[in-house]
Amino acid sequence: MRRSLRLHPNSLGAAATRIEVDVARPRPGSLMLSYGVSGKISDLRLPPVAAAAGADELWRHTCFEAFVRPSASPAYYEFNFSPSTQWAAYRFDRYRSGMRVVAEIGAPRIEVRSDEATFTLQAALELDGLSSHLHLGLSAVLEETNGRKSYWALAHPPGKADFHHADCFALELS
């Protein structure tokens, strides 16, 4: 299924005109996300591809994110995917509380492709052990070469961009 991310109303970014995410569950316990950015890709600050490895604070620059909450639970996971193929995975007990690095889920597989008008990041996650019924929050932070950042999500709560907010978990998967 394909979903469009919406630009936060206070964002100033101009390089991207659209972000769409294809979401697939090829088998139980697996999640495939393909983020597609359309626009003037040369105006985005994209780090060079490097060896895939875990890293912190990826959200400070261009980063694609997935928030995954099992149904009927306040606990959730946050996954960050960088265009460099670096990644991060955290678990929270509830809204922005009890954060810790995830050890029980394997490293995502990340692939990227780019041309002058499109950038695609595909991330494959193995979520064995999680409920088959999930709530997803999909989002992106885009940093432009001029330093401006724009914030994109399936849904935004009122006020400043906050991808952890319950309103952002706008997609249900069974």
Side-chain angles (χ1 to χ4, degrees), residues 19-36:
I19 301 178
E20 294 183 324
V21 185
D22 287 318
V23 179
R25 293 191 81 177
R27 60 181 177 70
S30 177
L31 183 62
M32 183 75 78
L33 303 168
S34 183
Y35 296 81

Side-chain angles (χ1 to χ4, degrees), residues 61-134:
H61 303 285
T62 298
C63 181
F64 300 87
E65 301 181 344
F67 292 80
V68 180
R69 188 182 73 224
S71 185
S73 173
Y76 62 95
Y77 294 86
E78 175 186 354
F79 298 96
N80 301 158
F81 314 113
S82 170
S84 70
T85 73
Q86 292 179 309
W87 54 271
Y90 307 101
R91 185 178 191 282
F92 292 81
D93 293 331
R94 61 190 166 284
Y95 176 74
R96 293 189 178 273
S97 177
M99 179 181 145
R100 61 191 167 279
V101 172
V102 171
E104 67 271 19
I105 294 175
R109 290 184 317 280
I110 301 171
E111 296 177 14
V112 296
R113 294 183 306 281
S114 185
D115 61 38
E116 62 187 44
T118 59
F119 174 83
T120 304
L121 182 143
Q122 186 174 46
L125 290 167
E126 297 302 325
L127 302 173
D128 295 327
L130 289 186
S131 149
S132 62
H133 190 84
L134 302 172

Side-chain angles (χ1 to χ4, degrees), residues 4-70:
S4 293
L5 299 187
R6 295 180 15 213
L7 179 63
H8 188 273
N10 297 335
S11 287
L12 300 174
T17 56
R18 183 175 66 233
I19 301 178
E20 294 183 324
V21 185
D22 287 318
V23 179
R25 293 191 81 177
R27 60 181 177 70
S30 177
L31 183 62
M32 183 75 78
L33 303 168
S34 183
Y35 296 81
V37 180
S38 299
K40 190 171 180 190
I41 303 306
S42 63
D43 285 350
L44 292 178
R45 184 169 288 155
L46 300 172
V49 173
D56 287 322
E57 298 190 354
L58 296 173
W59 52 268
R60 292 188 180 274
H61 303 285
T62 298
C63 181
F64 300 87
E65 301 181 344
F67 292 80
V68 180
R69 188 182 73 224

